[in-house]
Amino acid sequence: MNTLFDKIWDSHVVSLIDDGPTQLYIDRLYCHEVTSPQAFEGLRNRGIKCLRPDKVFCMPDHNTPTHDQDKPIEDPISKTQVDTLAANAAEFGLTHYGMFDKNNGIIHVVGPEKGLSLPGMTIVCGDSHTSTHGAMGAVAFGIGTSEVEMVLASQCILQAKPKSMRINIEGSLGRGVTPKDVALYLMSQITTSGATGYFIEYAGSVVREMTMEGRLTLCNLSIEMGARGGFIAPDEITFAYIKGREYAPKGEAWDKAVAYWSTLRSGDDAVFDKELTFNAADINPMITYGTNPGMGMAIDAAIPSLEGMSETASQSFMKSMDYMGFQPGEKLLGKKVDYVFLGACTNGRIEDFRAFASIANGRHKADNIIAWLVPGSWAVDRQIREEGIDKILEEAGFEIRQPGCSACLAMNDDKIPAGKYSVSTSNRNFEGRQGPKSRTLLASPLVAAAAAVTGVITDPRTLL
Amino acid sequence: MKAKFDIIQSTCVPLPLENVDTDQIIPARFLKATSRDEKFFGDNLFRDWRFNADNTPKKEFVFNTPAFSAAPSEGVHQILVAGKNFGSGSSREHAAWAIAGYGFRVVISSFFADIHKNNELNNFVLPVVVSEEFLAELFQTIAADPQAQVKVDVPAQTVTNLTTGRSEKFDINGYKKYCLVNALDDIDYLLQQKAEIEKYEASSVRY
């Protein structure tokens, strides 16, 4: 009761269906090329238009190659999907940032950086990492394609109201511990289904002190705890980030917006369905060892043993160990790595590149490592160059690729080969996620950089 | 037009694994289609667990074992039974299309991921949440007798293991139940709400 989630949700209720879901108004719909074509096809089959085209923004990101974007995509099926989005956007009158357009990038990187995702909004996209936009103080969540069609048709969605959860992280993060580590730690504690059915509000001193880039990373990973979404009450850090961005309110509208946004916080008497508190001092640089993001541990720890697991649980655990080529009880420090991937909607922002460069600076890429450094958007790419980070990385033997989702889900050519190990700053280590039989170790940009310069799994605190 | 839901009585296909994510249900490389071709998605359901890289079936995967290889048809293999946290990860509705395309009408588990659960319902696949005890017993029942049947009564909201007689109520809201029983979808409903939407926009929209 009286939570920020209640305030935002309740102010978007159009109607309540008896013994059914809520009809919720949506302020912003983002469409990418993979989960939207069948929704547009649905509109055509029903003979209807998009109800509010000005609230919908489209951009391809999943299929886009990370090189030669000025040339046509080589894979004909990927090309068709990307072209289909452009054609659908034109047919239904929607804004579209095409591949190689200076506005293009990963949808969850572009939305906040253009000021399209604002506090108090409801935001949806056919993509589970839509939770990212929660960092702006918005209720943002991933939906399926049928639901994309609902929003295109009616600017509304039918949705049961989730329960509310507050996660407090108190204290200060230690050296080398990043927002990614906070999220991986939370998953390792509450599992990948620990927040299913809930919307999370992140709070506590760690979150209050976190930069917007860090908040975007933390909220991005809410879905990996099973949550419908996760968000952070907007504050001065949020307002400073939004001010002056292309779609941010200007002049008098800005003052009015800030006055409203300043009211967006949970009441002192707010009651959450569940409340959890964690201590920042318990959080170390993290790495995953298994095939779901909840299978994570401190980088210098050992993989758990099977002790105390049920039969189905240990069967699943051993399937995961066999896939990864690891043993229960084993340590990962010093293990040889083949690939390093910096990027994705999780860690493809400027701060992530700064962090990676802080370790790469004055060192050199290890010979056994193939590294893919993929900015989240062209805007991030421009900033990398403005700050001279590109020079540091190039001197260290790294090459910066062109923006897109890339190896996070390997829908383009950036596939980790079978059996190879990749330390990745992305969000999922599922079987085959980065290519058939690829082995993913999720980690922060610092851990990724430490692996990239040493060739093995390394505690980044030894290099800072 | 989707088939209406009433009572489904069928043998099951067991998948006793936890945290089955949607990347396993349908790998990303099959998401490039631009139409809703359920047969295509169904043919690639659990692709990398079902088939080797050279497209030959993996003999040990349950779908390829003699007892469970028959494609779903009336009363046969219409129910998938899976470990807890089924459908976690990516929001891809292609996973629900693949499950529907293969021919499953019901998925039984002790726990579903939220987005995938909605996606199943929006594609007229019924997710049935049962207790851990019910699920564990059902896996045992099927292991002992692959011909064992389960009855899912949608109007009564009950699921019954017909071998042991164990029966449970399952949750579904009245609206969704009405949609399933009458084969209606949410967009049909929302399109009738235009006046309500405009009223809301006139009074409350900030962005």
Side-chain angles (χ1 to χ4, degrees):
Chain A
M1 294 290 287
N2 198 20
T3 68
L4 176 52
F5 178 71
D6 292 324
K7 286 183 195 177
I8 300 176
W9 180 278
D10 294 350
S11 70
H12 286 81
V13 173
V14 176
S15 75
L16 295 166
I17 299 172
D18 221 20
D19 190 20
T22 302
Q23 181 186 354
L24 195 73
Y25 194 82
I26 298 301
D27 295 312
R28 182 75 68 223
L29 168 67
Y30 294 114
C31 292
H32 65 74
E33 77 278 21
V34 179
T35 57
S36 67
Q38 293 86 355
F40 288 112
E41 184 185 57
L43 294 188
R44 273 191 290 272
N45 291 342
R46 290 173 202 260
I48 54 178
K49 292 184 160 59
C50 172
L51 184 69
R52 298 290 175 248
D54 58 317
K55 295 180 190 289
V56 186
F57 285 76
C58 308
M59 65 204 82
D61 54 10
H62 283 59
N63 281 277
T64 51
T66 54
H67 57 85
D68 297 311
Q69 287 188 3
D70 52 329
K71 301 187 182 75
I73 302 177
E74 283 170 24
D75 174 353
I77 312 174
S78 285
K79 183 176 186 306
T80 300
Q81 204 167 44
V82 168
D83 291 348
T84 301
L85 180 65
N88 282 328
E91 179 182 342
F92 290 93
L94 314 176
T95 304
H96 175 255
Y97 301 141
M99 190 174 80
F100 206 57
D101 181 313
K102 66 178 173 48
N103 298 296
N104 182 261
I106 304 172
I107 218 157
H108 308 311
V109 175
V110 171
E113 79 189 6
K114 290 192 85 67
L116 286 165
S117 301
L118 297 170
M121 275 188 168
T122 48
I123 301 172
V124 295
C125 173
D127 193 292
S128 59
H129 294 108
T130 308
S131 59
T132 311
H133 307 264
M136 311 308 300
V139 165
F141 54 95
I143 59 176
T145 299
S146 296
E147 294 168 316
V148 172
E149 189 181 339
M150 281 181 216
V151 181
L152 286 167
S154 68
Q155 206 55 40
C156 292
I157 192 167
L158 297 183
Q159 204 80 181
K161 187 176 180 181
K163 291 177 280 188
S164 63
M165 178 188 290
R166 182 156 64 187
I167 295 182
N168 305 294
I169 308 140
E170 302 291 355
S172 298
L173 294 178
R175 200 168 58 99
V177 181
T178 70
K180 178 66 166 286
D181 301 302
V182 174
L184 288 173
Y185 175 79
L186 292 175
M187 286 172 226
S188 74
Q189 297 298 301
I190 72 172
T191 79
T192 54
S193 57
T196 301
Y198 291 88
F199 225 95
I200 302 171
E201 178 174 351
Y202 297 100
S205 57
V206 167
V207 175
R208 278 196 301 276
E209 287 159 21
M210 210 177 262
T211 63
M212 280 313 296
E213 276 84 357
R215 293 178 185 187
L216 287 159
T217 300
L218 178 60
C219 290
N220 171 274
L221 291 160
S222 304
I223 180 69
E224 311 311 336
M225 296 165 227
R228 209 68 187 78
F231 69 98
I232 294 166
D235 59 13
E236 292 303 325
I237 293 174
T238 323
F239 308 152
Y241 175 91
I242 296 169
K243 194 165 190 181
R245 291 184 186 266
E246 186 179 344
Y247 284 88
K250 307 273 177 350
E252 206 177 305
W254 170 259
D255 297 334
K256 270 178 74 176
V258 171
Y260 169 60
W261 296 343
S262 303
T263 68
L264 294 176
R265 52 178 180 271
S266 290
D268 295 337
D269 58 345
V271 180
F272 294 82
D273 296 304
K274 197 169 184 177
E275 184 148 18
L276 300 170
T277 299
F278 296 94
N279 186 350
D282 295 336
I283 309 176
N284 290 288
M286 298 282 294
I287 194 158
T288 65
Y289 53 83
T291 53
N292 75 56
M295 300 174 82
M297 62 182 187
I299 192 158
D300 53 358
I303 297 173
S305 70
L306 295 175
E307 212 174 308
M309 278 188 206
S310 73
E311 200 186 316
T312 324
S314 64
Q315 203 177 333
S316 302
F317 192 85
M318 282 316 295
K319 186 175 188 303
S320 179
M321 288 296 103
D322 290 345
Y323 184 87
M324 294 300 293
F326 295 150
Q327 296 294 327
E330 190 179 15
K331 283 197 169 196
L332 293 184
L333 277 182
K335 282 240 178 218
K336 199 167 150 284
V337 174
D338 308 294
Y339 283 75
V340 165
F341 171 52
L342 172 69
C345 56
T346 311
N347 283 119
R349 298 183 184 79
I350 188 65
E351 280 193 5
D352 304 313
F353 278 79
R354 286 183 196 139
F356 192 98
S358 73
I359 283 186
N361 194 2
R363 296 194 174 92
H364 203 274
K365 183 181 79 64
D367 289 340
N368 60 307
I369 295 288
I370 294 175
W372 291 333
L373 277 49
V374 185
S377 69
W378 281 108
V380 172
D381 180 81
R382 286 189 290 275
Q383 199 171 347
I384 287 170
R385 291 170 204 285
E386 273 163 33
E387 296 186 13
I389 294 170
D390 56 326
K391 296 284 181 307
I392 296 171
L393 294 174
E394 275 158 27
E395 267 168 38
F398 296 98
E399 175 205 354
I400 296 168
R401 299 172 79 89
Q402 294 179 332
C405 299
S406 180
C408 175
L409 84 171
M411 276 190 79
N412 66 359
D413 299 334
D414 304 343
K415 291 177 174 57
I416 308 296
K420 298 291 183 190
Y421 290 98
S422 177
V423 174
S424 299
T425 67
S426 45
N427 39 59
R428 289 185 175 137
N429 51 357
F430 297 148
E431 288 184 29
R433 173 79 178 181
Q434 297 196 278
K437 296 190 177 158
S438 60
R439 290 161 160 169
T440 304
L441 304 131
L442 298 175
S444 74
L446 291 177
V447 171
V453 298
T454 60
V456 297
I457 295 171
T458 301
D459 190 331
R461 290 171 295 198
T462 61
L463 302 178
L464 286 172
Chain B
M1 191 62 179
K2 301 284 179 183
K4 295 182 179 189
F5 266 83
D6 185 15
I7 291 171
I8 292 173
Q9 186 175 321
S10 173
T11 59
C12 306
V13 179
L15 191 64
L17 289 171
E18 298 180 350
N19 303 314
V20 173
D21 60 76
T22 54
D23 272 77
Q24 308 318 312
I25 299 174
I26 186 97
R29 63 185 187 280
F30 298 106
L31 308 188
K32 296 186 185 185
T34 50
S35 67
R36 200 184 276 229
D37 178 354
E38 287 194 353
K39 183 178 182 309
F40 168 80
F41 295 116
D43 287 348
N44 292 302
L45 174 66
F46 295 117
R47 178 78 203 189
D48 293 338
W49 286 353
R50 251 168 95 193
F51 299 100
N52 293 304
D54 62 3
N55 295 330
T56 54
K58 288 187 178 177
K59 288 200 180 66
E60 70 283 6
F61 186 62
V62 61
F63 283 39
N64 299 325
T65 58
F68 299 104
S69 63
S73 60
E74 187 70 37
V76 179
H77 299 159
Q78 288 181 303
I79 302 173
L80 176 66
V81 185
K84 73 176 174 197
N85 199 23
F86 185 77
S88 56
S90 160
S91 63
R92 61 190 67 168
E93 193 162 317
H94 312 66
W97 299 335
I99 290 168
Y102 185 79
F104 289 122
R105 298 198 69 202
V106 174
V107 181
I108 295 176
S109 178
S110 55
F111 199 93
F112 288 85
D114 284 331
I115 303 177
H116 180 68
K117 193 175 175 186
N118 278 353
N119 287 341
E120 286 194 5
L121 283 165
N122 283 334
N123 286 280
F124 294 83
V125 172
L126 178 66
V128 172
V129 181
V130 296
S131 66
E132 290 291 348
E133 296 72 34
F134 186 102
L135 186 67
E137 185 187 85
L138 181 54
F139 278 133
Q140 283 170 8
T141 301
I142 300 168
D145 175 16
Q147 297 302 314
Q149 294 203 337
V150 166
K151 181 173 158 186
V152 178
D153 183 330
V154 180
Q157 294 177 229
T158 55
V159 52
T160 308
N161 176 336
L162 293 177
T163 305
T164 63
R166 187 192 271 260
S167 190
E168 282 188 359
K169 271 280 223 192
F170 64 87
D171 262 355
I172 180 168
N173 70 55
Y175 166 82
K176 262 295 162 197
K177 184 164 140 185
Y178 178 83
C179 288
L180 287 177
V181 170
N182 294 289
L184 294 173
D185 73 19
D186 288 349
I187 298 173
D188 298 328
Y189 176 86
L190 282 166
L191 289 174
Q192 297 161 9
Q193 296 293 307
K194 195 142 188 253
E196 287 290 320
I197 296 166
E198 284 171 357
K199 203 172 105 193
Y200 173 86
E201 285 181 328
S203 66
S204 308
V205 165
R206 288 176 180 276
Y207 298 98

